[in-house]
Amino acid sequence: MNSPALEARIDLSAVAHNIEVLQAHTTAALMPVLKADAYGHGAVQVAAAVMSAGAAEIGVATIDEALALRRGGIDAPLLAWLHGSSADFGAAIEADVQIGVSSPRELTAVVEAARTAGRTASVTVKVDTGLARNGVAADEWDELRDGVATASAEQSIVLRGVMSHLVRGDEPGHPLNSLQGERLDEAVADLRRLGVGPEIVHIANSAATLTRPDLSRDLARPGIAVYGRSPAPDLGDFGLIPVMTLSAEVLSVKKIPAGQGVSYSHTWTAPSDTTVALLPAGYADGVPRLLSNTLRVHINGRSFPNVGRVCMDQMVVDLGADGGGVEVGDRAVLFGTGEHGGPTALEWAEAIGTIDYEIVSGIRGRAVRTYVGAPAPIPNGRHTPVAAGPG
C-alpha cells in the first residue's frame, strides 16, 4: 500500500517508551494529558497506547474530548477540566467522566446536573496557585470549599481530586514551583479540615515529572513528554523518542535556470542552474509560512533546503544542479526523530520563535495519520484508577 501524499506517522511504541521514561522519574502514578486530540497525534490511539504502557488515568481539557474517547472505546478513568457555559455536565456524569471545577458557579452547575441524573458526580477541584489562568481564584476559595463540603455531604459529588498547574515547571530550580506545591497542600489541608479530603492530588507537568519528583504528589500529569518532546530542551531530551514523523511525497522534479524565481513574490531566485522538487505540504497543513526559505527536509538521507514561499498546500525544495538523486515518488521527511541529522519539530519551533508543542499540535489539513507499533489490547477494556495517597 502506498503512503499518503502527506503523512503524519505516529509510532505508538515510542509512546510506550516515553511512558516508561516518565515512570522511571517518579513514584507517582501517571495521568497522561491527551487534550487537543493528543497534541495532534490521535487521542483514541494514543489513549490505548498509554494505558497499555501502564498509565493510571487520562486527562483532557474538555468534556467533548472525554466523550470522544468514550465513543472510541476508551474505558479508562478520564478527567476534563476546562468548561464553557454550554458544557454538558450531565453527559460527563453519565459517561463516568471526572469533572474539574474552577469556580463556585461551575460547582453549582455540576451539582444540579448530578441531581438531575440521580447520580453522584466525580469532581476534581482545580486551584489557582499562581498561574492566574484556569483554577479557583483566591477570593472564591472559601465559597467553593464550603460548597464542596455541602455537596459531598448530600452525596451529589465525591471529591476525587485537587489539582493545580505549574507556572515555571520548565525551570526546575525556580522557587515558585515549591511555593505552588505548598499552596496546593494548604488548599488540600483546608478541605480535610471540613472532612472532605480528596482521594488524589496532582500538580506536576512533564517538566516536573522528569526533574522535580517531590512535586508529583499522588499523580503526575505529563503532556508534551508523552509525545517525545522535551519539556525543557536546555536540559536535554531525557531519552524521550519523538512520536510523530511528518513526511511528504515528491510530486515533481524540474530543472530551472539561473535567475528563475520560485513561488509567490519570488522571495528566492536560483543563483545558478538547479533542480527543484515540489512537496504537497503547506500552511493549511500546519507548515508555518514563517518558515519560508528557512526549513529543510531529508530525502533519501540527504538534507535539502526549502526555497521560496511556503504556500497554502505546497512548498518547493532545492535539490541542487545534479538533482540530488531524487525522483518523483520519493519521500521527504519534514520533521521526525532527528535521526541521522534529520529535521525536528524543535528545529522548526526555534526558527520562528515558538515551541514544538505548537508545531506538532498544529499539523492538520490533509496530513493523514498512520499508526505503527500498535499496543497490546487493554486488559478487559478497563483500568483501575490510582488509589488514594497521602496527598
Side-chain angles (χ1 to χ4, degrees):
M1 180 178 177
N2 293 332
S3 296
L6 181 60
E7 177 186 49
R9 182 176 180 269
I10 310 300
D11 185 353
L12 297 177
S13 66
V15 171
H17 167 84
N18 297 334
I19 291 294
E20 291 175 2
V21 170
L22 288 157
Q23 193 65 80
H25 283 77
T26 180
T27 57
L30 297 181
M31 177 189 278
V33 177
L34 273 57
K35 62 184 179 179
D37 197 28
Y39 289 46
H41 292 68
V44 171
Q45 294 85 354
V46 173
V50 299
M51 297 309 293
S52 292
E57 310 194 13
I58 291 171
V60 294
T62 70
I63 290 172
D64 284 346
E65 290 175 330
L67 296 179
L69 286 172
R70 288 285 187 252
R71 290 191 297 270
I74 302 302
D75 201 22
L78 300 177
L79 169 65
W81 56 74
L82 183 64
H83 316 297
S85 58
S86 62
D88 192 344
F89 294 122
I93 294 167
E94 291 292 341
D96 193 24
V97 172
Q98 302 168 44
I99 302 170
V101 296
S102 293
S103 69
R105 175 187 57 79
E106 286 185 350
L107 178 63
T108 297
V110 171
V111 169
E112 290 176 353
R115 289 171 179 166
T116 299
R119 296 181 57 177
T120 300
S122 180
V123 164
T124 289
V125 170
K126 188 167 189 186
V127 184
D128 182 359
T129 58
L131 189 59
R133 203 180 62 173
N134 183 226
V136 182
D139 62 352
E140 292 188 320
W141 172 250
D142 289 353
E143 182 183 355
L144 188 282
R145 175 203 62 201
D146 294 346
V148 167
T150 299
S152 296
E154 70 172 38
Q155 298 184 336
S156 294
I157 70 166
V158 60
L159 184 58
R160 171 67 178 149
V162 177
M163 66 184 290
S164 191
H165 200 103
L166 292 170
V167 177
R168 309 184 83 141
D170 57 347
E171 302 172 64
H174 197 285
L176 184 54
N177 293 316
S178 296
L179 179 58
Q180 285 192 267
E182 293 168 6
R183 288 171 176 169
L184 179 64
D185 292 342
E186 289 170 1
V188 171
D190 205 13
L191 286 162
R192 293 195 191 284
R193 280 192 289 271
L194 294 183
V196 286
E199 297 173 4
I200 54 173
V201 178
H202 42 105
I203 188 173
N205 58 5
S206 286
T209 303
L210 292 165
T211 65
R212 290 290 304 268
D214 58 307
L215 291 174
S216 289
R217 303 302 187 266
D218 304 305
L219 275 179
R221 292 193 321 270
I224 194 65
V226 174
Y227 311 100
R229 312 287 170 176
S230 175
D234 291 345
L235 300 180
D237 63 15
F238 300 94
L240 300 165
I241 298 175
V243 172
M244 181 189 293
T245 296
L246 183 67
S247 68
E249 181 184 359
V250 174
L251 298 188
S252 70
V253 174
K254 67 172 68 174
K255 295 182 180 297
I256 61 172
Q260 174 64 55
V262 171
S263 194
Y264 291 124
S265 298
H266 285 181
T267 59
W268 183 86
T269 299
S272 58
D273 293 351
T274 192
T275 305
V276 295
L278 181 68
L279 306 179
Y283 57 78
D285 305 301
V287 182
R289 189 170 180 267
L290 288 172
L291 284 173
S292 298
N293 295 302
T294 300
L295 65 82
R296 63 192 179 97
V297 304
H298 255 208
I299 307 175
N300 301 330
R302 291 184 57 184
S303 184
F304 299 100
N306 155 243
V307 292
R309 289 258 176 89
V310 172
C311 306
M312 182 177 287
D313 46 24
Q314 52 194 298
M315 57 183 284
V316 178
V317 296
D318 181 16
L319 303 176
D322 64 357
V326 175
E327 299 178 354
V328 171
D330 286 346
R331 294 203 71 80
V333 175
L334 279 67
F335 66 73
T337 64
E339 186 178 16
H340 305 306
T344 65
L346 180 61
E347 183 178 315
W348 283 24
E350 291 178 339
I352 59 175
T354 187
I355 55 177
D356 49 4
Y357 302 54
E358 182 177 354
I359 299 301
V360 295
S361 64
I363 299 305
R364 56 189 184 274
R366 289 144 293 198
V368 177
R369 279 148 186 79
T370 60
Y371 295 87
V372 298
I378 298 175
N380 302 320
R382 181 74 187 182
H383 289 269
T384 303
V386 62

